[in-house]
Amino acid sequence: MTAPEADLSGWSAAPFTGGGCTHDVYRKGSGPGVVLIPEIPGIHPGVLALGNHLVDNGFTVAIPSLFGEPGKAVSAGYTAAEIARACVAREFAAMATNKQRPVSQFLRALARDLNASTPGKGVGVIGQCFTGGFALAAAVDDSVLAPVLSQPSVPLPLTPTQRRDPGVSESELKVVADRCANEGLCAMGLRFSADKMAPRERFRTLKERLGDAFEVIEIDSGPGNEYGFGRMAHSVLTEEVREVDGQPAYEARKRVVEFLTERLA
């Protein structure tokens, strides 16, 4: 059995401008809004399958195309090329610590726009891998009620400081922590236990700052783990999902849908 995949069927695309940036945004569905930020290399078939799953569960989904070619399948060469481009882009500031990334302004504007056109109390934002921490940065805006950080990998964890960095600036984290303490904001983080790209130290920092408002799902990917996840297991909500009850990534995807429903309905 392989991970779910889908194509661009039924998705409508239009450019959206916010925070001084313009990107195409793919939209589909009805119900409360969820901004689904793709992982590198872009809006690949696994990301589209996740988007379709959210649509099937009653959400309006907006996927901004921040890199890559929408609909293109993942390959090693394609992924490496997009990582190289993203790492030098000022919009993402992939190496910087304590950094307010320019793309965050775009994502907050997109969240506000989606919130204005959908029912519910606010919107969810799911970030993955390179974009995992961007979901938390978006939650500086009051329109975001349910940020989900799946294997957040920026800043790239090459040094102890980078591994501990929460992926947002201190000023942004203070706003999010205040919202958690005083407005009932909750966030969710997902990672595989052996994933060095989404380091445990980053989750520890977030847990220390957000407390019980930060729900963590950590899936065992250590040697001899029950479900056979490899030591390179990384993409919790896409590549590692097998649609079988009890499979941890599948159960994590279920919990994300429950979290979004609880927070947005």
Side-chain angles (χ1 to χ4, degrees):
M1 182 176 290
T2 58
E5 294 189 342
D7 58 25
L8 288 165
S9 298
W11 292 88
S12 61
F16 177 81
T17 299
C21 301
T22 300
H23 297 284
D24 284 343
V25 175
Y26 288 73
R27 300 180 191 244
K28 189 177 187 180
S30 59
V34 176
V35 177
L36 174 58
I37 318 172
E39 59 195 351
I40 283 180
I43 306 177
H44 63 72
V47 171
L48 290 166
L50 176 58
N52 283 346
H53 181 71
L54 295 169
V55 168
D56 291 344
N57 278 274
F59 298 101
T60 301
V61 179
I63 311 179
S65 182
L66 302 181
F67 29 68
E69 178 183 333
K72 184 175 179 178
V74 176
S75 68
Y78 176 35
T79 299
E82 292 305 320
I83 289 174
R85 291 188 185 98
C87 282
V88 298
R90 291 181 63 253
E91 190 175 10
F92 305 132
M95 307 300 290
T97 57
N98 189 23
K99 178 68 175 178
Q100 186 164 172
R101 292 169 170 79
V103 70
S104 301
Q105 299 290 340
F106 171 84
L107 293 169
R108 289 171 200 151
L110 178 58
R112 289 192 296 271
D113 178 78
L114 185 61
N115 186 42
S117 62
T118 55
K121 298 179 290 185
V123 301
V125 182
I126 300 175
Q128 306 171 87
C129 178
F130 195 86
T131 68
F134 301 173
L136 195 66
V140 168
D141 195 274
D142 290 346
S143 65
V144 177
L145 298 183
V148 178
L149 295 68
S150 192
Q151 74 273 359
S153 305
V154 167
L156 298 181
L158 304 181
T159 69
T161 299
Q162 289 168 328
R163 288 193 290 273
R164 290 190 301 268
D165 189 273
V168 296
S169 68
E170 176 60 23
S171 61
E172 289 170 316
L173 187 55
K174 283 181 177 177
V175 172
V176 172
D178 182 72
R179 291 193 65 202
C180 289
N182 299 306
E183 300 176 22
L185 179 71
C186 293
M188 174 179 285
L190 307 99
R191 68 179 296 273
F192 284 99
S193 64
D195 186 2
K196 293 180 178 169
M197 287 300 295
R200 181 175 283 116
E201 295 94 324
R202 182 162 298 152
F203 275 37
R204 188 176 298 126
T205 295
L206 291 169
K207 192 68 175 176
E208 288 171 354
R209 297 295 298 274
L210 305 182
D212 291 341
F214 186 51
E215 177 181 343
V216 175
I217 295 177
E218 184 175 270
I219 298 172
D220 182 13
S221 59
N225 68 85
E226 180 181 356
Y227 286 88
F229 293 112
R231 64 183 182 86
M232 301 299 289
H234 179 64
S235 297
V236 177
L237 299 176
T238 56
E239 183 181 349
E240 299 298 339
V241 170
R242 303 294 182 267
E243 294 183 318
V244 177
D245 284 339
Q247 200 260 4
Y250 182 57
E251 296 299 326
R253 194 183 70 173
K254 285 184 188 178
R255 176 57 195 142
V256 167
V257 171
E258 291 173 353
F259 175 71
L260 293 170
T261 302
E262 290 165 1
R263 303 299 301 170
L264 306 180

